[in-house]
Amino acid sequence: DVTVEVVFEADKIVSVVVTAHSETPGLSDPAIANVPAAIVAQQSLAVDTVAGATVTSEAAVLAVNNALK
């Protein structure tokens, strides 16, 4: 599970911060750091997953998607 805090301004994603997760420490760290940053930079959920942390990457994207609903 990945929980995120998403900040919006008008129709722009300003920030995405992972506030909690139950992913494997160390292994998930690159995805926890890079996927939220990529979502903000690209203003899209269509971001690349992190090799070796695909499940965490997808969980982060799903959490942001749920926040958008």
Side-chain angles (χ1 to χ4, degrees), residues 12-13 34-49:
K12 181 179 178 183
I13 302 170
N34 296 332
V35 171
I39 291 170
V40 173
Q42 297 178 28
Q43 293 295 297
S44 173
L45 297 179
V47 297
D48 292 334
T49 59

Side-chain angles (χ1 to χ4, degrees), residues 17-57:
V17 177
V18 175
T19 57
H21 68 86
S22 58
E23 304 299 308
T24 306
L27 184 62
S28 65
D29 293 350
I32 296 296
N34 296 332
V35 171
I39 291 170
V40 173
Q42 297 178 28
Q43 293 295 297
S44 173
L45 297 179
V47 297
D48 292 334
T49 59
V50 175
T54 303
V55 171
T56 303
S57 299

